[in-house]
Amino acid sequence: PTANSVLNDLVRLSLGTTSAPFPLESDLVLNNDYLARFYIRIKCSDGLGIIRLVGEAAESSGVSIHAILQNPIENHLNLDFVVTTEQVKLSQVQRFAELVEKMPFAKGAPLFLPIL
């Protein structure tokens, strides 16, 4: 800021005539439950029926699976696989991730990101 702006601010402060720094007021309502395709990475230990359980969790959450990628398994105790979705709401993916995290094979919460 220029010296003039700083001095003007100091005078306004001393006179008590300051205004709100961000005076924008709006009735705009933000909806953070957006629609998108999502990338979901699931860390788990290997076992039978994992894809079936993940599919059931997706179905019960209303998440439509676009694709599943699992590379060849090198470590049966710690592996990643990826689920990509069709267009779904963020809240549906959050619910899906909560269900998967509670499964016995899961190694923590799945990472999910919107695909832009």
Side-chain angles (χ1 to χ4, degrees):
T2 64
N4 184 46
S5 296
V6 171
L7 190 54
N8 187 36
D9 288 345
L10 290 173
V11 169
R12 291 179 70 203
L13 278 170
S14 69
L15 296 174
T17 59
T18 59
S19 60
F22 303 102
L24 177 65
E25 292 189 24
S26 174
D27 293 333
L28 179 66
V29 176
L30 296 177
N31 179 5
N32 290 331
D33 196 16
Y34 54 87
L35 275 173
R37 295 182 60 224
F38 285 86
Y39 165 97
I40 305 165
R41 186 181 70 214
I42 300 169
K43 294 183 81 58
C44 64
S45 55
D46 193 20
L48 292 175
I50 292 173
I51 299 296
R52 177 183 55 83
L53 292 171
V54 167
E56 289 172 354
E59 181 183 23
S60 71
S61 302
V63 171
S64 179
I65 294 175
H66 175 75
I68 294 177
L69 170 66
Q70 179 179 320
N71 289 327
I73 298 171
E74 295 177 7
N75 180 349
H76 290 273
L77 299 176
N78 189 18
L79 64 104
D80 293 331
F81 70 95
V82 171
V83 174
T84 58
T85 71
E86 299 293 338
Q87 285 238 344
V88 295
K89 289 184 176 184
L90 173 62
S91 61
Q92 293 169 293
V93 172
Q94 289 170 327
R95 175 71 182 135
F96 169 72
E98 289 169 2
L99 292 174
V100 170
E101 183 178 11
K102 294 175 185 172
M103 294 181 177
F105 57 81
K107 299 273 188 184
L111 168 74
F112 54 90
L113 304 165
I115 299 172
L116 303 176

